[in-house]
Amino acid sequence: MTARRIIPCLDVKDGRVVKGVRFEGHVDMGDAAELAVRYRDEGADELVFYDITASPEGRTLDYGWVRDIARLLDIPFCVAGGIRTVDQAAACLDNGADKVSINSPALERPELISEMAERLGSQCVVVGVDSRREDGDYVVHKYTGDPDSRRLAGRLTMDWIVEAQDRGAGEIVLNCIDQDGVRKGYDTAQLADARSRLTIPLVASGGAGAKSHFLDVFDRANVSGALAASVFHSGQIAVPDLKAFLAGAGVEVRL
């Protein structure tokens, strides 16, 4: 396997980075541009920006904002937020993004995944999946950026990730809702289950609270990358320290 990726995630609302617990109770964590520059300088492998209210509000993200972020970065970055057409995804790439992530719009119209893959290439197409365990199954939620809009998508997580892969997704980011923001570790059982069903890269999201949690998810779930937010935003874990820890434990990372 190639080097494992460390990916700070920036949930953006009204131009500010926010973070909640299990997708609720968001609090301000800082300026998006300032945090992006900090992570660039610290050696993050890539960044992910989610405009978390775009889909619930029925809009797409601001392409000018994407362009401004691109001017600051020399590392890959992915954007997400209300992208419902191939033209909208292409506009994000034209303005400097390296990947586009789709979530609720893909659930509403799965053909969007195939259309994007055919025109833009699978390497640009990330499918984000918000999942939690309910009544013995992992199920998908949608419109999770707004607690008032969030609802079940009517799909089982493992079925949906396989369908997304078959439709041409180049990567899956599995956001485990029950672990989100609680800093008790990634849901390695769910992620290992997902890993066993996919051939494309899988990125873990939700639960990082200590450097050992990253080691656990790489060892137990064999994911390609680990995404985290609050531990990086708060300064609890610095990216260089984390990478040195992982390298010392035998995990291949870019130093």
Side-chain angles (χ1 to χ4, degrees), residues 28 55 62 81 122 135 192 214 218:
D28 187 279
S55 280
D62 182 342
S122 290
D135 298 326
F214 292 84
F218 288 132

Side-chain angles (χ1 to χ4, degrees), residues 24-51:
E24 297 182 358
H26 292 111
V27 298
D28 187 279
M29 300 296 288
D31 178 78
E34 292 177 0
L35 285 170
V37 169
R38 187 179 108 195
Y39 296 135
R40 176 201 67 190
D41 294 343
E42 287 185 347
D45 294 297
E46 64 183 74
L47 300 180
V48 175
F49 296 87
Y50 292 134
D51 184 334

Side-chain angles (χ1 to χ4, degrees), residues 214-229:
F214 292 84
L215 180 59
D216 285 344
V217 78
F218 288 132
D219 280 349
R220 297 181 183 178
N222 195 28
V223 294
S224 304
L227 185 152

Side-chain angles (χ1 to χ4, degrees), residues 28-255:
D28 187 279
M29 300 296 288
D31 178 78
E34 292 177 0
L35 285 170
V37 169
R38 187 179 108 195
Y39 296 135
R40 176 201 67 190
D41 294 343
E42 287 185 347
D45 294 297
E46 64 183 74
L47 300 180
V48 175
F49 296 87
Y50 292 134
D51 184 334
I52 61 171
T53 57
S55 280
E57 293 176 358
R59 58 175 176 81
T60 189
L61 48 76
D62 182 342
Y63 305 128
W65 180 82
V66 175
R67 186 169 59 251
D68 290 343
I69 291 294
R71 288 175 175 147
L72 297 172
L73 298 179
D74 56 5
I75 58 175
F77 74 100
C78 177
V79 296
I83 297 164
R84 289 180 169 78
T85 70
V86 179
D87 286 345
Q88 290 172 342
C92 292
L93 300 180
D94 289 344
N95 281 284
D98 298 276
K99 301 177 185 176
V100 173
S101 181
I102 52 176
N103 188 328
S104 298
L107 290 161
E108 300 291 352
R109 196 173 70 82
E111 295 80 5
L112 178 60
I113 302 171
S114 308
E115 294 167 4
M116 288 174 57
E118 289 172 6
R119 178 170 159 188
L120 307 174
S122 290
Q123 77 281 356
C124 299
V125 182
V126 179
V127 173
V129 180
D130 299 330
S131 173
R132 74 181 310 172
R133 189 172 184 84
E134 296 181 14
D135 298 326
D137 282 315
Y138 298 118
V139 297
V140 180
H141 285 236
K142 59 183 178 180
Y143 300 120
T144 53
D146 180 351
D148 294 330
S149 300
R150 175 174 150 183
R151 55 187 182 272
L152 286 167
R155 288 180 176 272
L156 297 176
T157 300
M158 299 304 154
D159 292 346
W160 175 232
I161 62 173
V162 171
E163 179 178 341
Q165 174 179 260
D166 292 344
R167 288 182 177 275
E171 183 169 280
I172 301 291
V173 175
L174 185 55
N175 307 302
C176 301
I177 295 173
D178 291 326
Q179 272 63 42
D180 181 76
V182 300
R183 303 189 185 188
K184 294 184 178 179
Y186 293 92
D187 187 342
T188 55
Q190 181 175 185
L191 288 157
D193 192 350
R195 176 69 279 166
S196 70
R197 300 165 190 260
L198 298 172
T199 58
I200 59 176
L202 172 67
V203 174
S205 174
K211 287 182 280 190
S212 61
H213 295 157
F214 292 84
L215 180 59
D216 285 344
V217 78
F218 288 132
D219 280 349
R220 297 181 183 178
N222 195 28
V223 294
S224 304
L227 185 152
S230 58
V231 291
F232 292 142
H233 301 336
S234 67
Q236 178 183 339
I237 297 175
V239 173
D241 294 342
L242 173 59
K243 285 193 165 186
F245 168 78
L246 292 170
V251 177
E252 185 176 352
V253 292
R254 297 184 188 90
L255 297 173

